Amino acid sequence: MKALHCLSYGEPPELRIVETVEPAPGPGEALIAVEAVGIGGFDAVLLGGRYQERPEPPFVPGRELAGRVLAVGEGGDPALIGMRVAAISFKGALAERAVARCDHCLATPPDMDPATAASILSAYATSLYALETCGRMTAGETVLVLGGAGTVGAAAIDIARGLGGRVVAAASTTEKLEFCRSRGAELAVDYGDPHWRRAMTERLGGGIDLVVDPVGGTLSEPAFRSLAPGGRHLVVGFAAGEIPRIPLNLPLLKRASIVGVDWGGFMQTEPAANRALLDRLRDLFDSGTLRPVQPTVHPLSALIPLLDGFRNRRIVGKPVIQPDFGTAASARSIGKQQCGAGHERD
Ligand SMILES: NC(=O)c1ccc[n+]([C@@H]2O[C@H](COP(=O)([O-])OP(=O)(O)OC[C@H]3O[C@@H](n4cnc5c(N)ncnc54)[C@H](OP(=O)(O)O)[C@@H]3O)[C@@H](O)[C@H]2O)c1
C-alpha cells in the first residue's frame, strides 16, 4: 500500500509518499481503509518537532481518520467489519490503510460523509469529556470557550450549546468571531482587546460557570478570573505555546476549580468509560443535537500549507485531507510541492 512518511521533523517537515507493507491488525485492533484524515494544530506541533512525544522517523503522520473497517484482530469487535467509522490511529492515518483500537472507533451515522466523520472524533470527544465528565456541566450554565474558531473550540461551542448552555466564545479576528457566532455562540469576544474580560462580563452581566481552555498562554488567568463561585476552568491544551501559571490564591478566593482534561489518557486507561462517552456522543449526533461544521477538503499536497496555516493561526474551522496517493505519488515529495489551501484567510 501507499503511505506518507515523515522522514524528519521541521517547519516544514520532510515528507514522502512510499510503498510500504499494509499494517496487520493486532489484538483488539481494526484494519481500516482510510477515506479521509482530519488535520489539526496537533499535527503542526508534532511534525514541527515541538510536541512532548517525538516518534522516531520514518513514521506515518496523522491520527484522526474516517474509513471502512476491513478486518479486526484477535479479540476485536467483529460487528465493526464493513462499518464506516471515525477513529484515532496512534500508528498513523495518512496511508491507504491504518489500524486503530476497536474501542477507539466510533461507528458514524449513515448520513455523515467521510470528511465530516474524519473531523469530529478528537474534538467532540474531548469537548464532551471536558464539559460533561470533567466539568459536570448542567443546562443553563454559561460556558466561555477560548480559541472558539479552532478545532476543539468549535466543537466545544457545539457541545455546550447542545447541552443547553449559554455560550460565550473568544477568538482573535473578526472572521473567527463571526465563525463562532455562526456556530451558536451568543456572544463572541475579541481577546486581542486588552480589556476583553471587562467587556465580556459587562455584556454578560454576570460570571462564567465553565471555561474551556485549549489555548493557555496569557489568556488563561483573565479567563479564570471571570469565573463565578463554583466555576470550573477546564485545561485542555496550550495552543499558544506557553503554559500559564495561575496563583493558587485565585481558586481559593474565587471558590473555583482548575480541572485537567486529557481525553487521550482517558481513552487509553479507561476503555469502558470511554466507550460510554463515545456512545453518548453518537446519541447526540443521532438526535440532531450536535451540528458539526462542514470541514474544508484538501488533497495530500495541501498538507504543508495546512500545517503552516495552523502555525500562523490562519485556519478557521476544520480541514480534512482526502488522500489521493495515486495522483500525488507522481510528485514523490509532498514537502517540495507548493499548493494553496483555499480555506485560509489572507
Ligand atoms: N486535552 C486533550 O484531550 C486534547 C485533545 C485535543 C487537543 N488538545 C490540545 O488542544 C489544543 C488546541 O487544539 P486544536 O486542535 O483546537 O488546535 P487549533 O485548531 O489549532 O486551534 C487552536 C486555537 O488556539 C488559538 N491560538 C492562540 N495562540 C495560538 C498560537 N500561538 N498558535 C496557534 N493557535 C493559537 C487560535 O485561535 P485564535 O487565533 O482565535 O486565538 C486557534 O484557533 C492543542 O494544544 C491540542 O494539543 C488537547
PDB file of all heavy atoms in Angstrom, residues 41-42 122 126 147 149-153 171-172 176 191 214-215 236-240 261-264 310-311 313, ligand 1:
ATOM      1  N   GLY A  41      -4.053  21.421  14.756  1.00  0.00           N
ATOM      2  CA  GLY A  41      -2.883  22.084  15.336  1.00  0.00           C
ATOM      3  C   GLY A  41      -1.906  21.068  15.917  1.00  0.00           C
ATOM      4  O   GLY A  41      -0.686  21.259  15.888  1.00  0.00           O
ATOM      5  N   PHE A  42      -2.464  19.963  16.423  1.00  0.00           N
ATOM      6  CA  PHE A  42      -1.614  18.897  16.974  1.00  0.00           C
ATOM      7  C   PHE A  42      -0.604  18.401  15.938  1.00  0.00           C
ATOM      8  O   PHE A  42       0.581  18.202  16.239  1.00  0.00           O
ATOM      9  CB  PHE A  42      -2.518  17.742  17.446  1.00  0.00           C
ATOM     10  CG  PHE A  42      -1.785  16.452  17.657  1.00  0.00           C
ATOM     11  CD1 PHE A  42      -1.081  16.230  18.825  1.00  0.00           C
ATOM     12  CD2 PHE A  42      -1.773  15.461  16.672  1.00  0.00           C
ATOM     13  CE1 PHE A  42      -0.382  15.048  19.021  1.00  0.00           C
ATOM     14  CE2 PHE A  42      -1.078  14.288  16.855  1.00  0.00           C
ATOM     15  CZ  PHE A  42      -0.380  14.082  18.035  1.00  0.00           C
ATOM     16  N   SER A 122     -11.860  13.484  17.670  1.00  0.00           N
ATOM     17  CA  SER A 122     -10.999  14.026  18.721  1.00  0.00           C
ATOM     18  C   SER A 122     -11.619  15.276  19.352  1.00  0.00           C
ATOM     19  O   SER A 122     -11.711  15.390  20.575  1.00  0.00           O
ATOM     20  CB  SER A 122      -9.623  14.348  18.133  1.00  0.00           C
ATOM     21  OG  SER A 122      -8.869  15.064  19.058  1.00  0.00           O
ATOM     22  N   THR A 126     -13.221  15.084  23.054  1.00  0.00           N
ATOM     23  CA  THR A 126     -12.507  15.892  24.046  1.00  0.00           C
ATOM     24  C   THR A 126     -13.454  16.904  24.692  1.00  0.00           C
ATOM     25  O   THR A 126     -13.457  17.076  25.918  1.00  0.00           O
ATOM     26  CB  THR A 126     -11.337  16.651  23.369  1.00  0.00           C
ATOM     27  OG1 THR A 126     -10.424  15.688  22.848  1.00  0.00           O
ATOM     28  CG2 THR A 126     -10.611  17.546  24.344  1.00  0.00           C
ATOM     29  N   GLY A 147     -10.356  30.261  22.022  1.00  0.00           N
ATOM     30  CA  GLY A 147      -9.983  29.679  20.728  1.00  0.00           C
ATOM     31  C   GLY A 147     -11.197  29.087  20.044  1.00  0.00           C
ATOM     32  O   GLY A 147     -11.142  27.991  19.473  1.00  0.00           O
ATOM     33  N   ALA A 149     -12.745  29.433  17.339  1.00  0.00           N
ATOM     34  CA  ALA A 149     -12.750  29.057  15.911  1.00  0.00           C
ATOM     35  C   ALA A 149     -11.752  27.952  15.631  1.00  0.00           C
ATOM     36  O   ALA A 149     -11.561  27.563  14.471  1.00  0.00           O
ATOM     37  CB  ALA A 149     -12.444  30.277  15.044  1.00  0.00           C
ATOM     38  N   GLY A 150     -11.078  27.439  16.670  1.00  0.00           N
ATOM     39  CA  GLY A 150     -10.161  26.311  16.492  1.00  0.00           C
ATOM     40  C   GLY A 150     -10.928  24.999  16.465  1.00  0.00           C
ATOM     41  O   GLY A 150     -12.165  24.975  16.622  1.00  0.00           O
ATOM     42  N   THR A 151     -10.201  23.911  16.293  1.00  0.00           N
ATOM     43  CA  THR A 151     -10.844  22.605  16.149  1.00  0.00           C
ATOM     44  C   THR A 151     -11.605  22.216  17.417  1.00  0.00           C
ATOM     45  O   THR A 151     -12.795  21.897  17.375  1.00  0.00           O
ATOM     46  CB  THR A 151      -9.775  21.546  15.824  1.00  0.00           C
ATOM     47  OG1 THR A 151      -8.975  22.032  14.754  1.00  0.00           O
ATOM     48  CG2 THR A 151     -10.393  20.232  15.456  1.00  0.00           C
ATOM     49  N   VAL A 152     -10.906  22.250  18.553  1.00  0.00           N
ATOM     50  CA  VAL A 152     -11.558  21.889  19.820  1.00  0.00           C
ATOM     51  C   VAL A 152     -12.582  22.956  20.185  1.00  0.00           C
ATOM     52  O   VAL A 152     -13.704  22.644  20.610  1.00  0.00           O
ATOM     53  CB  VAL A 152     -10.509  21.727  20.947  1.00  0.00           C
ATOM     54  CG1 VAL A 152     -11.189  21.563  22.301  1.00  0.00           C
ATOM     55  CG2 VAL A 152      -9.597  20.536  20.671  1.00  0.00           C
ATOM     56  N   GLY A 153     -12.213  24.224  19.982  1.00  0.00           N
ATOM     57  CA  GLY A 153     -13.109  25.320  20.360  1.00  0.00           C
ATOM     58  C   GLY A 153     -14.444  25.241  19.639  1.00  0.00           C
ATOM     59  O   GLY A 153     -15.505  25.388  20.256  1.00  0.00           O
ATOM     60  N   ALA A 171     -11.991  34.723  20.494  1.00  0.00           N
ATOM     61  CA  ALA A 171     -11.068  34.419  19.393  1.00  0.00           C
ATOM     62  C   ALA A 171     -10.357  35.701  18.995  1.00  0.00           C
ATOM     63  O   ALA A 171     -10.562  36.759  19.616  1.00  0.00           O
ATOM     64  CB  ALA A 171     -11.838  33.806  18.220  1.00  0.00           C
ATOM     65  N   SER A 172      -9.538  35.610  17.913  1.00  0.00           N
ATOM     66  CA  SER A 172      -8.600  36.707  17.663  1.00  0.00           C
ATOM     67  C   SER A 172      -8.922  37.612  16.476  1.00  0.00           C
ATOM     68  O   SER A 172      -8.272  38.632  16.329  1.00  0.00           O
ATOM     69  CB  SER A 172      -7.202  36.127  17.457  1.00  0.00           C
ATOM     70  OG  SER A 172      -7.161  35.371  16.262  1.00  0.00           O
ATOM     71  N   LYS A 176     -12.956  35.088  12.652  1.00  0.00           N
ATOM     72  CA  LYS A 176     -13.110  33.988  13.619  1.00  0.00           C
ATOM     73  C   LYS A 176     -14.294  34.245  14.553  1.00  0.00           C
ATOM     74  O   LYS A 176     -15.028  33.318  14.917  1.00  0.00           O
ATOM     75  CB  LYS A 176     -11.811  33.804  14.410  1.00  0.00           C
ATOM     76  CG  LYS A 176     -10.679  33.208  13.578  1.00  0.00           C
ATOM     77  CD  LYS A 176      -9.439  32.920  14.410  1.00  0.00           C
ATOM     78  CE  LYS A 176      -8.392  32.204  13.565  1.00  0.00           C
ATOM     79  NZ  LYS A 176      -7.236  31.739  14.344  1.00  0.00           N
ATOM     80  N   TYR A 191     -10.260  38.556  22.029  1.00  0.00           N
ATOM     81  CA  TYR A 191      -9.309  38.619  23.145  1.00  0.00           C
ATOM     82  C   TYR A 191      -7.985  39.293  22.770  1.00  0.00           C
ATOM     83  O   TYR A 191      -7.056  39.302  23.563  1.00  0.00           O
ATOM     84  CB  TYR A 191      -9.122  37.275  23.851  1.00  0.00           C
ATOM     85  CG  TYR A 191      -8.851  36.028  23.026  1.00  0.00           C
ATOM     86  CD1 TYR A 191      -8.079  36.037  21.869  1.00  0.00           C
ATOM     87  CD2 TYR A 191      -9.350  34.804  23.468  1.00  0.00           C
ATOM     88  CE1 TYR A 191      -7.832  34.872  21.157  1.00  0.00           C
ATOM     89  CE2 TYR A 191      -9.113  33.630  22.756  1.00  0.00           C
ATOM     90  CZ  TYR A 191      -8.355  33.686  21.603  1.00  0.00           C
ATOM     91  OH  TYR A 191      -8.098  32.534  20.909  1.00  0.00           O
ATOM     92  N   PRO A 214      -8.368  25.563  25.455  1.00  0.00           N
ATOM     93  CA  PRO A 214      -7.366  24.830  24.668  1.00  0.00           C
ATOM     94  C   PRO A 214      -6.210  25.733  24.239  1.00  0.00           C
ATOM     95  O   PRO A 214      -5.384  25.311  23.443  1.00  0.00           O
ATOM     96  CB  PRO A 214      -8.174  24.371  23.433  1.00  0.00           C
ATOM     97  CG  PRO A 214      -9.326  25.300  23.330  1.00  0.00           C
ATOM     98  CD  PRO A 214      -9.438  26.097  24.589  1.00  0.00           C
ATOM     99  N   VAL A 215      -6.134  26.952  24.770  1.00  0.00           N
ATOM    100  CA  VAL A 215      -5.158  27.935  24.271  1.00  0.00           C
ATOM    101  C   VAL A 215      -4.043  28.210  25.271  1.00  0.00           C
ATOM    102  O   VAL A 215      -2.853  28.221  24.916  1.00  0.00           O
ATOM    103  CB  VAL A 215      -5.871  29.263  23.882  1.00  0.00           C
ATOM    104  CG1 VAL A 215      -4.867  30.254  23.321  1.00  0.00           C
ATOM    105  CG2 VAL A 215      -6.962  29.005  22.845  1.00  0.00           C
ATOM    106  N   VAL A 236      -7.429  22.250  28.646  1.00  0.00           N
ATOM    107  CA  VAL A 236      -7.455  21.292  27.531  1.00  0.00           C
ATOM    108  C   VAL A 236      -6.137  21.274  26.778  1.00  0.00           C
ATOM    109  O   VAL A 236      -5.672  20.223  26.323  1.00  0.00           O
ATOM    110  CB  VAL A 236      -8.627  21.616  26.568  1.00  0.00           C
ATOM    111  CG1 VAL A 236      -8.630  20.677  25.373  1.00  0.00           C
ATOM    112  CG2 VAL A 236      -9.965  21.521  27.298  1.00  0.00           C
ATOM    113  N   GLY A 237      -5.515  22.419  26.593  1.00  0.00           N
ATOM    114  CA  GLY A 237      -4.266  22.443  25.819  1.00  0.00           C
ATOM    115  C   GLY A 237      -3.633  23.813  25.836  1.00  0.00           C
ATOM    116  O   GLY A 237      -4.149  24.757  26.462  1.00  0.00           O
ATOM    117  N   PHE A 238      -2.519  23.908  25.117  1.00  0.00           N
ATOM    118  CA  PHE A 238      -1.704  25.122  25.163  1.00  0.00           C
ATOM    119  C   PHE A 238      -1.320  25.534  23.744  1.00  0.00           C
ATOM    120  O   PHE A 238      -0.139  25.610  23.401  1.00  0.00           O
ATOM    121  CB  PHE A 238      -0.461  24.875  26.033  1.00  0.00           C
ATOM    122  CG  PHE A 238      -0.805  24.280  27.371  1.00  0.00           C
ATOM    123  CD1 PHE A 238      -0.606  22.917  27.620  1.00  0.00           C
ATOM    124  CD2 PHE A 238      -1.382  25.053  28.358  1.00  0.00           C
ATOM    125  CE1 PHE A 238      -0.962  22.352  28.836  1.00  0.00           C
ATOM    126  CE2 PHE A 238      -1.754  24.501  29.577  1.00  0.00           C
ATOM    127  CZ  PHE A 238      -1.542  23.145  29.825  1.00  0.00           C
ATOM    128  N   ALA A 239      -2.347  25.793  22.920  1.00  0.00           N
ATOM    129  CA  ALA A 239      -2.075  26.154  21.529  1.00  0.00           C
ATOM    130  C   ALA A 239      -1.193  27.391  21.430  1.00  0.00           C
ATOM    131  O   ALA A 239      -0.438  27.539  20.468  1.00  0.00           O
ATOM    132  CB  ALA A 239      -3.390  26.389  20.785  1.00  0.00           C
ATOM    133  N   ALA A 240      -1.266  28.278  22.422  1.00  0.00           N
ATOM    134  CA  ALA A 240      -0.450  29.495  22.386  1.00  0.00           C
ATOM    135  C   ALA A 240       1.027  29.170  22.612  1.00  0.00           C
ATOM    136  O   ALA A 240       1.884  30.016  22.400  1.00  0.00           O
ATOM    137  CB  ALA A 240      -0.929  30.488  23.439  1.00  0.00           C
ATOM    138  N   VAL A 261      -7.953  18.167  31.671  1.00  0.00           N
ATOM    139  CA  VAL A 261      -8.728  17.366  30.704  1.00  0.00           C
ATOM    140  C   VAL A 261      -7.726  16.661  29.794  1.00  0.00           C
ATOM    141  O   VAL A 261      -6.982  17.320  29.076  1.00  0.00           O
ATOM    142  CB  VAL A 261      -9.642  18.283  29.853  1.00  0.00           C
ATOM    143  CG1 VAL A 261     -10.353  17.468  28.787  1.00  0.00           C
ATOM    144  CG2 VAL A 261     -10.623  19.034  30.728  1.00  0.00           C
ATOM    145  N   ASP A 262      -7.692  15.347  29.842  1.00  0.00           N
ATOM    146  CA  ASP A 262      -6.773  14.616  28.947  1.00  0.00           C
ATOM    147  C   ASP A 262      -7.559  13.449  28.351  1.00  0.00           C
ATOM    148  O   ASP A 262      -7.535  12.338  28.887  1.00  0.00           O
ATOM    149  CB  ASP A 262      -5.546  14.134  29.731  1.00  0.00           C
ATOM    150  CG  ASP A 262      -4.606  13.297  28.879  1.00  0.00           C
ATOM    151  OD1 ASP A 262      -4.746  13.306  27.630  1.00  0.00           O
ATOM    152  OD2 ASP A 262      -3.734  12.623  29.456  1.00  0.00           O
ATOM    153  N   TRP A 263      -8.250  13.726  27.239  1.00  0.00           N
ATOM    154  CA  TRP A 263      -9.064  12.648  26.655  1.00  0.00           C
ATOM    155  C   TRP A 263      -8.167  11.509  26.165  1.00  0.00           C
ATOM    156  O   TRP A 263      -8.531  10.332  26.283  1.00  0.00           O
ATOM    157  CB  TRP A 263      -9.931  13.184  25.511  1.00  0.00           C
ATOM    158  CG  TRP A 263     -10.712  12.080  24.864  1.00  0.00           C
ATOM    159  CD1 TRP A 263     -11.622  11.270  25.480  1.00  0.00           C
ATOM    160  CD2 TRP A 263     -10.620  11.639  23.511  1.00  0.00           C
ATOM    161  NE1 TRP A 263     -12.118  10.348  24.574  1.00  0.00           N
ATOM    162  CE2 TRP A 263     -11.513  10.555  23.361  1.00  0.00           C
ATOM    163  CE3 TRP A 263      -9.872  12.068  22.405  1.00  0.00           C
ATOM    164  CZ2 TRP A 263     -11.675   9.887  22.152  1.00  0.00           C
ATOM    165  CZ3 TRP A 263     -10.041  11.408  21.195  1.00  0.00           C
ATOM    166  CH2 TRP A 263     -10.935  10.321  21.088  1.00  0.00           C
ATOM    167  N   GLY A 264      -6.977  11.840  25.647  1.00  0.00           N
ATOM    168  CA  GLY A 264      -6.060  10.796  25.172  1.00  0.00           C
ATOM    169  C   GLY A 264      -5.733   9.816  26.296  1.00  0.00           C
ATOM    170  O   GLY A 264      -5.752   8.595  26.106  1.00  0.00           O
ATOM    171  N   PHE A 310      -1.940  26.391  10.444  1.00  0.00           N
ATOM    172  CA  PHE A 310      -2.185  26.198  11.880  1.00  0.00           C
ATOM    173  C   PHE A 310      -1.147  26.960  12.699  1.00  0.00           C
ATOM    174  O   PHE A 310      -1.471  27.602  13.697  1.00  0.00           O
ATOM    175  CB  PHE A 310      -2.153  24.705  12.244  1.00  0.00           C
ATOM    176  CG  PHE A 310      -3.479  24.036  12.018  1.00  0.00           C
ATOM    177  CD1 PHE A 310      -3.659  23.142  10.978  1.00  0.00           C
ATOM    178  CD2 PHE A 310      -4.562  24.324  12.840  1.00  0.00           C
ATOM    179  CE1 PHE A 310      -4.889  22.542  10.762  1.00  0.00           C
ATOM    180  CE2 PHE A 310      -5.797  23.731  12.624  1.00  0.00           C
ATOM    181  CZ  PHE A 310      -5.952  22.831  11.583  1.00  0.00           C
ATOM    182  N   ARG A 311       0.111  26.863  12.251  1.00  0.00           N
ATOM    183  CA  ARG A 311       1.191  27.533  12.996  1.00  0.00           C
ATOM    184  C   ARG A 311       0.961  29.040  13.040  1.00  0.00           C
ATOM    185  O   ARG A 311       1.240  29.695  14.029  1.00  0.00           O
ATOM    186  CB  ARG A 311       2.519  27.218  12.313  1.00  0.00           C
ATOM    187  CG  ARG A 311       3.627  26.966  13.278  1.00  0.00           C
ATOM    188  CD  ARG A 311       4.885  26.425  12.660  1.00  0.00           C
ATOM    189  NE  ARG A 311       5.060  26.608  11.258  1.00  0.00           N
ATOM    190  CZ  ARG A 311       5.015  25.643  10.354  1.00  0.00           C
ATOM    191  NH1 ARG A 311       4.759  24.418  10.729  1.00  0.00           N
ATOM    192  NH2 ARG A 311       5.226  25.894   9.079  1.00  0.00           N
ATOM    193  N   ARG A 313      -1.967  30.642  12.760  1.00  0.00           N
ATOM    194  CA  ARG A 313      -3.330  30.957  13.236  1.00  0.00           C
ATOM    195  C   ARG A 313      -4.233  31.413  12.111  1.00  0.00           C
ATOM    196  O   ARG A 313      -5.149  32.213  12.339  1.00  0.00           O
ATOM    197  CB  ARG A 313      -3.276  32.022  14.341  1.00  0.00           C
ATOM    198  CG  ARG A 313      -2.527  31.587  15.555  1.00  0.00           C
ATOM    199  CD  ARG A 313      -2.200  32.728  16.485  1.00  0.00           C
ATOM    200  NE  ARG A 313      -3.357  33.245  17.213  1.00  0.00           N
ATOM    201  CZ  ARG A 313      -3.267  34.179  18.155  1.00  0.00           C
ATOM    202  NH1 ARG A 313      -2.095  34.672  18.479  1.00  0.00           N
ATOM    203  NH2 ARG A 313      -4.343  34.610  18.775  1.00  0.00           N
TER     204      ARG A 313
HETATM  205  N1  LIG B   1      -6.513  17.521  26.387  1.00  0.00           N
HETATM  206  C1  LIG B   1      -6.970  16.833  25.348  1.00  0.00           C
HETATM  207  O1  LIG B   1      -7.528  15.762  25.498  1.00  0.00           O
HETATM  208  C2  LIG B   1      -6.796  17.436  23.982  1.00  0.00           C
HETATM  209  C3  LIG B   1      -7.467  16.898  22.861  1.00  0.00           C
HETATM  210  C4  LIG B   1      -7.323  17.537  21.632  1.00  0.00           C
HETATM  211  C5  LIG B   1      -6.491  18.661  21.533  1.00  0.00           C
HETATM  212  N2  LIG B   1      -5.815  19.109  22.637  1.00  0.00           N
HETATM  213  C6  LIG B   1      -4.966  20.292  22.589  1.00  0.00           C
HETATM  214  O2  LIG B   1      -5.786  21.442  22.473  1.00  0.00           O
HETATM  215  C7  LIG B   1      -5.051  22.470  21.843  1.00  0.00           C
HETATM  216  C8  LIG B   1      -5.887  23.047  20.711  1.00  0.00           C
HETATM  217  O3  LIG B   1      -6.087  22.055  19.716  1.00  0.00           O
HETATM  218  P1  LIG B   1      -6.910  22.388  18.405  1.00  0.00           P
HETATM  219  O4  LIG B   1      -6.897  21.139  17.607  1.00  0.00           O
HETATM  220  O5  LIG B   1      -8.192  23.028  18.765  1.00  0.00           O
HETATM  221  O6  LIG B   1      -5.961  23.467  17.720  1.00  0.00           O
HETATM  222  P2  LIG B   1      -6.331  24.539  16.623  1.00  0.00           P
HETATM  223  O7  LIG B   1      -7.404  24.057  15.741  1.00  0.00           O
HETATM  224  O8  LIG B   1      -5.023  24.968  16.044  1.00  0.00           O
HETATM  225  O9  LIG B   1      -6.954  25.750  17.470  1.00  0.00           O
HETATM  226  C9  LIG B   1      -6.201  26.415  18.456  1.00  0.00           C
HETATM  227  C10 LIG B   1      -6.652  27.856  18.560  1.00  0.00           C
HETATM  228  O10 LIG B   1      -5.768  28.466  19.504  1.00  0.00           O
HETATM  229  C11 LIG B   1      -5.632  29.827  19.179  1.00  0.00           C
HETATM  230  N3  LIG B   1      -4.220  30.236  19.336  1.00  0.00           N
HETATM  231  C12 LIG B   1      -3.781  31.214  20.154  1.00  0.00           C
HETATM  232  N4  LIG B   1      -2.459  31.351  20.063  1.00  0.00           N
HETATM  233  C13 LIG B   1      -2.028  30.460  19.144  1.00  0.00           C
HETATM  234  C14 LIG B   1      -0.759  30.153  18.610  1.00  0.00           C
HETATM  235  N5  LIG B   1       0.362  30.786  19.020  1.00  0.00           N
HETATM  236  N6  LIG B   1      -0.662  29.185  17.674  1.00  0.00           N
HETATM  237  C15 LIG B   1      -1.765  28.525  17.259  1.00  0.00           C
HETATM  238  N7  LIG B   1      -3.023  28.770  17.744  1.00  0.00           N
HETATM  239  C16 LIG B   1      -3.152  29.738  18.672  1.00  0.00           C
HETATM  240  C17 LIG B   1      -6.096  30.026  17.726  1.00  0.00           C
HETATM  241  O11 LIG B   1      -7.252  30.844  17.750  1.00  0.00           O
HETATM  242  P3  LIG B   1      -7.118  32.442  17.753  1.00  0.00           P
HETATM  243  O12 LIG B   1      -6.262  32.836  16.585  1.00  0.00           O
HETATM  244  O13 LIG B   1      -8.534  32.875  17.621  1.00  0.00           O
HETATM  245  O14 LIG B   1      -6.505  32.821  19.067  1.00  0.00           O
HETATM  246  C18 LIG B   1      -6.505  28.627  17.254  1.00  0.00           C
HETATM  247  O15 LIG B   1      -7.721  28.658  16.540  1.00  0.00           O
HETATM  248  C19 LIG B   1      -3.735  21.863  21.391  1.00  0.00           C
HETATM  249  O16 LIG B   1      -2.746  22.207  22.350  1.00  0.00           O
HETATM  250  C20 LIG B   1      -4.011  20.366  21.407  1.00  0.00           C
HETATM  251  O17 LIG B   1      -2.841  19.608  21.618  1.00  0.00           O
HETATM  252  C21 LIG B   1      -5.962  18.525  23.839  1.00  0.00           C
END
